[in-house]
């Protein structure tokens, strides 16, 4: 199945509710949380997350680009997060973090930066509903897609199939009409798209176009 996840990092902050409603046809909403420490940028916090949750019933995928993410799990679940995706580079216990998320009644996911190897985490995939491959350095939108990260996608795809798991492979960074097919062909199922959705005159049509391009490449 193909999932298109518009990133509100590229939305109009002054009309956030309106922009979220424009992508009611999206499969989920991607919420980037940045603390200015793990990544050199600040973005949304729990109040904005709660505001988004109040205007949509869509699944909220929380991308926690923050240090010691476990300390904030309960806060973001309380704000409406449905899946907590944390960076393995930001925690010393990714397995414990996954269990903590599950104990809070939500899904768990982990993300890896472009330079982080996926192999050390392959044996723990059964604990995660999603693995997010970063195809740019996390922290800022509008960066250029890094195709070399698709090797990690292929490794994940093979291991997930071999183990018979339902773990979703997601990709975040530089996803647009010109890159989504390459990612889909490699095995990505969930695509985070910012300006490729909210930068268009018709965001809903952009979502459908991206979904079609991904489906055709699978």
């Amino acid at each position: 199945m193909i999932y298109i996840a518009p990133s509100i990092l590229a939305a109009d902050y002054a009309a956030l509710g309106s922009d979220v409603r424009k992508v009611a046809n999206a499969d989920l909403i991607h919420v980037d949380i940045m603390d200015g420490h793990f990544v050199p940028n600040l973005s949304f916090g729990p109040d904005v997350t709660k505001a988004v949750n109040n205007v949509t019933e869509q699944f909220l995928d929380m991308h926690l680009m923050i240090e010691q993410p476990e300390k904030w799990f309960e806060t973001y679940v309380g704000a409406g997060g449905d899946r907590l995706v944390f960076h393995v580079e930001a925690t010393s216990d990714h397995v414990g973090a996954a269990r903590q998320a599950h104990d809070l009644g939500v899904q768990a996911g982990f993300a890896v930066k472009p330079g982080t190897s996926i192999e050390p985490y392959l044996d723990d995939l059964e604990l995660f509903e999603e693995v997010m491959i970063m195809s740019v350095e996390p922290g800022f939108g509008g960066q250029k897609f890094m195709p070399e990260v698709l090797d990690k996608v292929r490794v994940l795809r093979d291991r997930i199939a071999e183990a018979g798991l339902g773990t979703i492979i997601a990709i975040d960074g530089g996803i647009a009409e010109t890159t989504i097919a390459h990612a889909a062909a490699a095995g990505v199922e969930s695509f985070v798209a910012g300006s490729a959705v909210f930068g268009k005159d018709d965001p809903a049509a952009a979502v459908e176009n991206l979904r079609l391009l991904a489906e055709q490449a699978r």
Side-chain angles (χ1 to χ4, degrees):
M1 185 171 176
I2 297 297
Y3 304 90
I4 303 298
S7 170
I8 62 171
L9 191 65
D12 180 353
Y13 301 165
L16 190 54
S18 175
D19 270 10
V20 169
R21 293 186 186 96
K22 289 178 182 177
V23 292
N25 61 327
D27 303 284
L28 60 158
I29 299 295
H30 185 83
V31 184
D32 287 306
I33 307 297
M34 307 180 196
D35 63 0
H37 297 283
F38 179 70
V39 292
N41 195 10
L42 286 168
S43 64
F44 310 115
D47 289 343
V48 170
T49 302
K50 188 174 182 179
V52 171
N53 190 53
N54 286 339
V55 300
T56 182
E57 294 185 358
Q58 287 161 287
F59 189 96
L60 298 189
D61 211 24
M62 309 300 300
H63 185 186
L64 304 179
M65 291 175 273
I66 58 179
E67 294 181 349
Q68 298 181 301
E70 302 95 324
K71 290 186 176 182
W72 292 93
F73 279 7
E74 191 168 351
T75 297
Y76 283 104
V77 171
D82 295 298
R83 180 163 55 220
L84 303 175
V85 182
F86 58 88
H87 275 262
V88 292
E89 302 93 349
T91 179
S92 60
D93 185 6
H94 63 284
V95 168
R99 290 174 175 154
Q100 183 179 337
H102 291 149
D103 287 344
L104 289 169
V106 298
Q107 295 185 17
F110 72 84
V112 292
K113 292 181 178 182
T116 299
S117 173
I118 196 64
E119 278 75 14
Y121 308 100
L122 295 177
D123 291 339
D124 301 319
L125 292 177
E126 64 181 358
L127 296 170
F128 295 89
E129 282 77 24
E130 180 179 272
V131 177
M132 183 175 292
I133 302 299
M134 295 300 299
S135 44
V136 299
E137 288 296 335
F140 295 92
Q143 297 184 64
K144 186 178 179 181
F145 181 78
M146 301 169 67
E148 59 268 26
V149 305
L150 295 180
D151 288 340
K152 285 189 276 192
V153 171
R154 297 182 184 99
V155 170
L156 275 171
R157 178 194 60 196
D158 291 346
R159 177 59 69 91
I160 288 169
E162 178 185 313
L165 301 176
T167 309
I168 294 169
I169 302 174
I171 197 159
D172 182 3
I175 292 299
E177 295 92 335
T178 55
T179 57
I180 193 168
H182 299 292
V188 174
E189 301 156 281
S190 185
F191 304 84
V192 177
S195 56
V197 171
F198 290 116
K200 303 295 186 180
D201 292 335
D202 188 342
V207 167
E208 292 304 323
N209 185 45
L210 291 171
R211 184 183 287 117
L212 178 62
L213 291 170
E215 288 173 345
Q216 290 174 339
R218 294 282 285 178

